[in-house]
Amino acid sequence: MDKNEILKRIENSKSTSELETVNVDVLGKSGSLSLALRELGKMSPDERKVRGAELNLIKQEIISAIENKKSILELSEINEKLKSDKIDITLNKAENIKGFVHPITKVREELLQIFATLGFRLVSANDPDIEDDFHNFTALNVPEFHPARSMQDTFFVEGGNLLRTQTSSVQIREMERSGVPVKVITMGRVYRSDWDATHSPMFHQIEGLYIDKNITMAHLKGCLIDFLKLFFEVDDVPTQFRPSYFPFTEPSAEMDIRCTLKDGELKIGANGNRWLEILGCGMVHPNVLKSVGVNPDEYQGFAFGMGIERLTMLKYGISDIRKCYEADTRWLSHYGFDANDIPNMITGLSKK
Ligand code: DAH
């Protein structure tokens, strides 16, 4: 180890990285100075005293030479970089693109507000999309091997669970959670193996459940007619309750509205040319109540379920459901909504 040679190497370093190499060569774990210091251990106490003091002085000198050189090199490197870095001030500033509220989000909001007005509590944002057989089928009076299962073909995952085919599973979960009486809605994703202009493998449903001691089909009709008037913003909605079949309701009905639907435009009224199916509903089947330990001789009520995409498409004239999921900003700017135009928005987005 030659001090002068080291100092010369420091002085001649052309960059901070070259200087770092010198630093490691001298002061690193197996650097020349570190090795020399380690040699002290082998010397007699007298020798060690003299040589130790000498080496420490050299070490201080080298460290301060490195520090000095380092600040000089760093400064010149920064200056070099500033000289070569150019900011292109001619570039256009990124366009400030405004987002839109997706029509499905808008309709979820409308539904929430309407059903809140009708006295329904929103539940279960956290209920699982991956559901078990009991909640999706068995407890809803659809036992294993029941043919109604094949109407709702879905995706099974390991362990026998499945992607829920209907939000009706939440009827069971909510009654397990808080018993009866109950008056709730839930909204969420459901899954089926479908894919065309009006069906998607994932879509959203809204489900309602009202159970108490004296709830009748008259309440069901009144509630749903009020809902449709508020949702479609019309004074009168001609409806028919067409007998149907759902395993979890008895009697079951499909609710249709009288309307004309031309080029995606919906006109509701008695002079319409067709009945259009809007939703499924019925009086909750005694077996469903029994499956959650509720006595059907004491409690009864109604349930209903509908597709949120379908309602959105009807209300806002959207013809292809698949467009709802393509994140095409042109489509969104056409069918979407300005958050500022939606007062008191509760779901999902806050007003900005
Ligand atoms: N779960 C049904 C479906 O997905 C819709 C439905 C029908 C829900 C009748 C209900 C009901 O609560 O009472 O097709």
Side-chain angles (χ1 to χ4, degrees), residues 8-20 22 69 72-74 76-77 80:
K8 207 184 279 168
R9 271 188 74 192
I10 293 171
E11 187 49 41
N12 293 340
S13 291
K14 301 235 165 350
S15 65
T16 46
S17 61
E18 195 181 331
L19 185 66
E20 182 55 25
V22 183
K69 186 70 184 175
I72 295 168
L73 286 173
E74 275 176 352
S76 74
E77 282 173 12
E80 270 316 299

Side-chain angles (χ1 to χ4, degrees), residues 152 165-166 168 171 192 205 207-208 246 248-249 280-282 303-305:
Q152 296 190 358
T165 59
Q166 48 187 353
S168 305
Q171 291 187 26
R192 303 205 187 157
Q205 282 187 336
E207 181 93 13
F246 298 105
F248 31 88
T249 43
C281 58
F304 58 86

Side-chain angles (χ1 to χ4, degrees), residues 36-44 48:
L37 283 164
R38 224 169 289 153
E39 291 294 307
L40 290 174
K42 294 182 194 151
M43 295 176 182
S44 70
R48 190 185 305 149

